[in-house]
Amino acid sequence: MSQQTEQHGARGIPTRAVAVQVLEGADAGQRASGDARLTVGTASDNDLVLQDPTVSRYHLELRRGPHGIEARDLGSTNGTLAGALRLTEAAVPAGTVLTLGKTALRVDDGEAQELDLHDGTHLAGLRGRSPAMRHLMAKVKRASQSDVAVLLVGESGTGKERIAEALHQIGPRRRGPFVTVDCGALAPTLVASELFGHEAGAFTGAKARHPGAFERADGGTLFLDEIGELPESLQATLLGALERRRFRRLGGREEIAVDVRVVSATHRDVRADVNTGRFRLDLFYRLAVVTLEVPPLRARPDDIELLAEHFLQELGWQRPQDVLTPPVLEALRRHHWPGNVRELRNFVEATVAMGEPPELHGAVEGAGADPFAAVLERPWKDARAAIVGELERRYFGRLIERTEGNVSEAARVAEMDRGHLTDLLRRHGLK
């Protein structure tokens, strides 16, 4: 009697592709289909490349969402229209006709397919049991085996640096160095020195030769965090170093050859900056040979318990169930997590330090309740700290969400010093 072979390894999750057909315009008749995501524009790396000059380089993104097909305009010049309505981001039914400049296209369901999943809940320091995270881990595993440049895109606090480390740790460069440069944390005048190094006397204060990040990462991986904040004046220099694999230190004459893999990350959609000319298209091509999107924590609530247990164990807590009671877990799943995994870790650390979970939603739920009632019986110092702490958590959480993780923009909106805001965001696990 024959016996069916047991399936081993990752199982896929069923989904449908996204498909488009051009109905009107210079490219009428063209069709394209993506897996769970499809982009439209004039740049050559889109899934549907159009010749219409009224269409932006990166104009429209379509993806399979929980409620059907989600359409998002990528900061295009002429916008995306559904009838007379100009949309920024919206769920659209199959059969919807969208207008991009002088081009009209129809959005449809594509073929049924399966998305690959990693066959476990761990990968080189990454953790997740949700389909979204296991799909990402499967992509990380594949991408790690090549030397191509990878761009990680995701909100602040989602763990992009940890993913960059995983790409390094399970790849062929694992024995080489892993060097990080945070392009958003450095003053524009210091970025070039940090990337390429400098000779003694190259500028005021340069008393000795300083090897830059490219030099220190030779044979390994260079992680460029917040690459979207890279000054325009340095983009051509970085492009040249990537293309030639050679560079000069500031103030130097000798060219230095390096062998590095570049992984970069950003919380912003750099394609919109390409459309406006703030970010070079040719540099984007070099950095985004492979693009990995990191889902926010609110999109994968199934991972919250697993991550919280891990953080508790790291802090020496042997019985996570004593902290992660059913009411606490329910509150964690309902929370929006503007600070993502970093905010969850901060929550766990505060719980261990104080012996009880901190408030996630404020002292009261009702709109008409007295917001101070819950602390009026406490000592003044404790009451004041609770109110101020909760105000800071909620205010800065909402602020960083509104500004999509852009700390410079958040500082302008809040009319605060950027350095002081950064300290407060770190205090509350939001950066």
Side-chain angles (χ1 to χ4, degrees), residues 312-331:
L312 283 167
Q313 289 165 357
E314 279 193 330
L315 295 168
W317 203 277
Q318 300 303 315
R319 291 176 54 84
Q321 64 271 24
D322 292 346
V323 175
L324 302 175
T325 62
V328 169
L329 285 173
E330 180 59 27

Side-chain angles (χ1 to χ4, degrees), residues 282-364:
D282 45 7
L283 177 57
F284 180 74
Y285 282 155
R286 279 285 174 180
L287 295 172
V289 178
V290 171
T291 300
L292 299 179
E293 297 188 15
V294 187
L297 187 57
R298 63 181 172 277
R300 48 188 181 103
D302 291 347
D303 294 337
I304 290 174
E305 183 175 0
L306 179 70
L307 291 168
E309 287 178 351
H310 169 65
F311 296 147
L312 283 167
Q313 289 165 357
E314 279 193 330
L315 295 168
W317 203 277
Q318 300 303 315
R319 291 176 54 84
Q321 64 271 24
D322 292 346
V323 175
L324 302 175
T325 62
V328 169
L329 285 173
E330 180 59 27
L332 295 182
R333 293 189 186 102
R334 288 199 313 265
H335 187 54
H336 192 62
W337 298 110
N340 290 292
V341 178
R342 188 183 292 122
E343 184 185 359
L344 176 61
R345 185 184 186 95
N346 187 74
F347 170 88
V348 171
E349 291 176 349
T351 300
V352 171
M354 303 303 295
E356 61 180 8
E359 291 285 342
L360 283 171
H361 297 287
V364 294

Side-chain angles (χ1 to χ4, degrees), residues 99-162:
T99 303
L100 290 64
K102 296 179 180 178
T103 296
L105 55 83
R106 186 177 64 233
V107 179
D108 290 308
D109 289 322
E111 296 180 355
Q113 55 185 207
E114 285 191 345
L115 296 181
D116 292 338
L117 300 181
H118 179 59
D119 59 359
T121 59
H122 299 74
L123 177 69
L126 306 179
R127 286 171 170 76
R129 60 169 59 104
S130 66
M133 195 60 192
R134 290 175 59 203
H135 181 50
L136 175 61
M137 287 192 282
K139 288 184 172 182
V140 168
K141 191 172 182 178
R142 285 200 303 271
S144 70
Q145 301 310 304
S146 74
D147 241 5
V148 300
V150 176
L151 176 65
L152 305 173
V153 181
E155 296 177 8
S156 295
T158 48
K160 296 187 291 294
E161 184 168 4
R162 183 60 59 90

Side-chain angles (χ1 to χ4, degrees), residues 61 72-75 88-89 152-158 160 225-229 265-273 294 296 298 336-340 342 395-414 418 421 425 430-431:
E61 180 181 80
R72 182 163 69 95
D73 185 86
L74 299 174
T88 302
E89 187 168 2
L152 305 173
V153 181
E155 296 177 8
S156 295
T158 48
K160 296 187 291 294
D225 200 6
E226 296 300 353
I227 189 65
E229 309 302 319
T266 178
H267 71 272
R268 59 199 289 166
D269 196 331
V270 179
R271 294 171 298 183
D273 291 332
V294 187
R298 63 181 172 277
H336 192 62
W337 298 110
N340 290 292
R342 188 183 292 122
Y395 179 85
F396 295 123
R398 176 61 181 147
L399 177 67
I400 209 68
E401 184 180 358
R402 284 166 53 204
T403 57
E404 299 181 339
N406 187 326
V407 178
S408 297
E409 176 65 17
R412 285 192 290 271
V413 170
R418 187 181 188 277
L421 175 59
L425 292 175
L430 298 171
K431 179 172 175 59

Side-chain angles (χ1 to χ4, degrees), residues 117-237:
L117 300 181
H118 179 59
D119 59 359
T121 59
H122 299 74
L123 177 69
L126 306 179
R127 286 171 170 76
R129 60 169 59 104
S130 66
M133 195 60 192
R134 290 175 59 203
H135 181 50
L136 175 61
M137 287 192 282
K139 288 184 172 182
V140 168
K141 191 172 182 178
R142 285 200 303 271
S144 70
Q145 301 310 304
S146 74
D147 241 5
V148 300
V150 176
L151 176 65
L152 305 173
V153 181
E155 296 177 8
S156 295
T158 48
K160 296 187 291 294
E161 184 168 4
R162 183 60 59 90
I163 294 170
E165 291 171 350
L167 287 165
H168 176 77
Q169 290 169 11
I170 60 179
R173 293 176 177 267
R174 65 179 67 88
R175 293 183 177 85
F178 179 86
V179 178
T180 298
V181 175
D182 188 342
C183 301
L186 295 171
T189 54
L190 297 178
V191 177
S193 174
E194 182 56 29
L195 285 175
F196 306 115
H198 61 255
E199 300 287 355
F203 51 84
T204 303
K207 297 180 180 179
R209 171 184 288 177
H210 169 67
F214 266 95
E215 201 169 344
R216 302 196 306 271
D218 190 27
T221 301
L222 174 60
F223 176 51
L224 302 177
D225 200 6
E226 296 300 353
I227 189 65
E229 309 302 319
L230 187 71
E232 294 178 55
S233 59
L234 279 179
Q235 291 177 20
T237 307

